Amino acid sequence: MSFQSFVTEAERKLANHNASLPDEFRHALDALRPKLSAADLRSWAEEGVTLAEHSLRSWEAAAEYFRVSPEVVGLLTPAAFRRWVHAGRDLAEHSSVVAGAYFRAGPRVVRYLDEHQLTEWAMLGRHLYRGHWKSISLASMFFASGPGLLPLLSMEQLARLTSLIEGVAERSYELANDCLDSAAYVFGALEREDRAPFLALAGAVGDASWADVRQLFQHGASLVEPVLPSERGRLLALGGRVAGHLGR
């Protein structure tokens, strides 16, 4: 099959899912032609068609995939790009909205992640999904928050934050959303060496009184601001130990 015949067939398949999807495909294809060989373009298109066919509404995620691909292709190796796509396809099996948020954030986050961390990041967001609209909103916010959080936190720290948010969400999605919404601000206001102690304090506060975690995220940075930078880590660690005792 010639490349043009392949493109025509891909457009036909995409149109079966949504009338606007072939347009998204063509725009991305035109942008990628100068960057990729015919073989790589075919592989890229096949990934998008497979994503669109993956589940009932995964065409929505495919539309985001096509839209951002021209930017992401230049930032990842071919192997990492495939891993990025496959992680999004797995998310689309559960929620096209969440997968769409994942792909939408791609151009602003993949520069902070290596090939294996791409999958880990996707799985962290997947943990927040519970099959109902509140969890879809929270998981989507997680991916939208990626550009603000990934420059600040290691993957281990991001995993601890996700676990904390997940625990708060079990009691209140409103509070969980508020904490996640404040996270980039509070960690950006803290010195790098103070972020791990803050996470430990937040975890202890969550165990002792989950409803107070939101106050910590909203006001924690301003509370430690008057403290000498050299003493902030010890203050946060002490607060974590006190909160841990209160939670027993």
Side-chain angles (χ1 to χ4, degrees):
M1 181 187 295
S2 69
F3 183 72
Q4 185 54 50
S5 297
F6 168 79
V7 169
T8 301
E9 178 64 11
E11 291 176 340
R12 184 191 67 78
K13 291 180 179 179
L14 293 171
N16 289 334
H17 299 284
N18 181 265
S20 66
L21 201 53
D23 290 334
E24 298 284 357
F25 169 71
R26 281 190 291 271
H27 291 155
L29 181 64
D30 290 343
L32 288 170
R33 281 184 189 274
K35 303 178 182 180
L36 299 178
S37 66
D40 288 339
L41 279 172
R42 185 185 291 258
S43 176
W44 164 81
E46 287 173 343
E47 292 285 8
V49 172
T50 300
L51 176 61
E53 295 176 338
H54 192 57
S55 60
L56 182 62
R57 297 192 63 86
S58 62
W59 64 265
E60 297 171 335
E64 292 293 341
Y65 164 78
F66 289 132
R67 188 179 63 81
V68 303
S69 284
E71 294 180 76
V72 176
V73 160
L75 299 172
L76 296 176
T77 65
F81 184 81
R82 286 192 296 272
R83 188 178 286 266
W84 174 73
V85 178
H86 294 167
R89 189 195 305 167
D90 289 343
L91 287 169
E93 184 173 349
H94 302 285
S95 168
S96 61
V97 175
V98 174
Y102 165 85
F103 283 119
R104 196 176 306 119
R108 296 177 294 157
V109 304
V110 296
R111 68 187 75 242
Y112 301 111
L113 301 166
D114 63 30
E115 182 177 341
H116 299 289
Q117 288 173 331
L118 287 167
T119 302
E120 187 175 353
W121 182 61
M123 288 303 299
L124 289 177
R126 166 68 184 87
H127 284 315
L128 297 175
Y129 172 76
R130 289 291 182 271
H132 50 75
W133 69 268
K134 289 184 178 180
S135 70
I136 290 173
S137 176
L138 184 62
S140 298
M141 179 184 285
F142 171 84
F143 290 121
S145 300
L149 290 173
L150 286 170
L152 302 173
L153 301 178
S154 67
M155 287 304 296
E156 179 182 357
Q157 291 170 338
L158 189 59
R160 294 181 67 183
L161 173 63
T162 306
S163 179
L164 174 65
I165 296 297
E166 188 176 8
V168 175
E170 291 177 357
R171 281 91 169 183
S172 168
Y173 273 92
E174 179 186 358
L175 263 64
N177 276 283
D178 287 347
C179 291
L180 187 53
D181 188 48
S182 302
Y185 167 75
V186 69
F187 288 112
L190 293 170
E191 297 296 327
R192 182 170 296 274
E193 59 271 19
D194 296 333
R195 292 166 191 161
F198 180 87
L199 274 168
L201 171 59
V205 170
D207 291 338
S209 178
W210 62 269
D212 292 328
V213 176
R214 176 168 57 182
Q215 295 298 319
L216 179 63
F217 272 82
Q218 291 179 340
H219 305 295
S222 59
L223 291 175
V224 300
E225 187 177 1
V227 181
L228 289 173
S230 59
E231 299 297 323
R232 290 175 186 170
R234 288 200 293 174
L235 174 65
L236 291 168
L238 176 61
R241 289 196 294 272
V242 171
H245 284 298
L246 292 175
R248 292 179 180 176

